[in-house]
Amino acid sequence: RFWFWYAPGSGIFYDAGITLSAPSKMAMLVKLLVGWRAVPTWLKHSSPLVGIILDSIMSRMQLTSLEELIKTLNMTAHGRRKCTTSRIFWCSKDYFLMDRWDGYLAEIGRSLRFDTLFFTASHWGVSQAIPRGELVDLRGSRQVSNVSNGIMRNHSVNAFAPFVGPPSLKESLDALSSRLSLRDPSDPSRPGQPCSFMNDRATIRLGCLNHVSWKVRDLPWLERNCRRLQGGEAHDVEFM
């Protein structure tokens, strides 16, 4: 899956597909669980990992039903109860879900046939002053997160064959490029020019035809703000 900042007014449009939006991870999880509660039985049977995930969450929180789980999470999402009081694990500042929940959000969202999760007030670190829109693309290869791996080791379920390893960087950027285009922000209905992360080498610098970004896409500058995880924390790294 891929995470993007949403930049209104940039003229760069992203084809997000079928999208679910919520302000935060906690609120998104509540929406996903409400959606899961309403799906037909056959769909639940086709996504057994979600059932295993929910059983694991409810067991750790000492809850016995999906209704209880939704109600408990919703109280914290609205600031009426702290994580510690509700026995919600993997929390930051006692109100925000940590990144360790990302695998759960992605798996439930994908099982509900969503292409993208859109966080309307996301923070890159809780201390960030200004919340931003953030897109999480669920399309492409399904990757087993460390969280899901731990659950899978404790259950004998023939449900994990669709999971594959991560795609190559070129495959990932090619897929992203097909969803990006440059358009006139004042008239988005007009056809857009294609954008690409790729030229002769992989790069995180985006280039769009008929735009200055295309002319400078190969300049030998170090590109920053590529985030990597080290010891559970995000760090800025330089990336060619």
Side-chain angles (χ1 to χ4, degrees):
R1 58 188 181 274
F2 299 91
W3 297 69
F4 304 94
W5 288 120
Y6 170 59
S10 67
I12 298 174
F13 283 71
Y14 186 79
D15 181 6
I18 302 173
T19 304
L20 180 67
S21 62
S24 65
K25 290 183 181 180
M26 189 82 72
M28 181 67 75
L29 182 56
V30 171
K31 277 196 170 185
L32 289 169
L33 295 181
V34 170
W36 184 254
R37 179 181 60 186
V39 301
T41 303
W42 67 265
L43 182 56
K44 292 180 179 178
H45 287 167
S46 69
S47 305
L49 181 55
V50 174
I52 295 171
I53 287 172
L54 296 182
D55 287 344
S56 176
I57 293 172
M58 288 189 289
S59 175
R60 291 193 61 173
M61 292 177 60
Q62 301 177 30
L63 302 174
T64 58
S65 70
L66 183 58
E67 291 293 336
E68 283 185 294
L69 178 59
I70 292 172
K71 181 178 179 180
T72 300
L73 293 170
N74 198 42
M75 291 281 286
T76 303
H78 285 83
R80 295 197 294 268
R81 184 183 295 174
K82 295 183 177 181
C83 289
T84 48
T85 305
S86 299
R87 294 190 292 271
I88 302 173
F89 51 97
W90 299 335
C91 274
S92 175
K93 307 297 184 182
D94 226 358
Y95 284 102
F96 305 95
L97 294 183
M98 298 172 65
D99 290 346
R100 296 178 72 180
W101 284 87
D102 292 353
Y104 290 165
L105 294 169
E107 183 58 34
I108 300 172
R110 188 181 289 109
S111 297
L112 290 172
R113 308 297 192 261
F114 286 109
D115 298 317
T116 299
L117 303 180
F118 180 33
F119 298 89
T120 59
S122 183
H123 288 75
W124 194 279
V126 176
S127 61
Q128 180 177 302
I130 302 175
R132 304 181 183 179
E134 192 172 10
L135 296 166
V136 184
D137 195 306
L138 306 179
R139 292 166 287 190
S141 300
R142 302 171 73 196
Q143 300 175 33
V144 182
S145 66
N146 291 335
V147 172
S148 298
N149 251 330
I151 293 174
M152 289 161 60
R153 284 195 296 268
N154 297 321
H155 293 83
S156 178
V157 178
N158 185 22
F160 312 113
F163 285 91
V164 297
S168 69
L169 179 61
K170 184 179 187 306
E171 290 171 336
S172 300
L173 296 179
D174 279 345
L176 295 181
S177 297
S178 67
R179 298 169 193 152
L180 289 157
S181 61
L182 181 70
R183 305 184 187 181
D184 180 355
S186 64
D187 189 7
S189 63
R190 293 175 58 187
Q193 296 291 334
C195 298
S196 176
F197 283 101
M198 298 295 299
N199 189 36
D200 295 329
R201 61 180 177 85
T203 174
I204 59 170
R205 187 184 293 125
L206 182 67
C208 303
L209 288 174
N210 296 324
H211 186 262
V212 66
S213 59
W214 191 257
K215 298 179 181 179
V216 301
R217 70 191 186 283
D218 284 326
L219 292 182
W221 296 337
L222 290 177
E223 296 156 349
R224 299 193 62 85
N225 297 323
C226 177
R227 307 287 283 185
R228 63 181 173 86
L229 289 177
Q230 180 178 350
E233 297 183 357
H235 300 268
D236 282 330
V237 297
E238 294 180 342
F239 186 87
M240 285 296 291

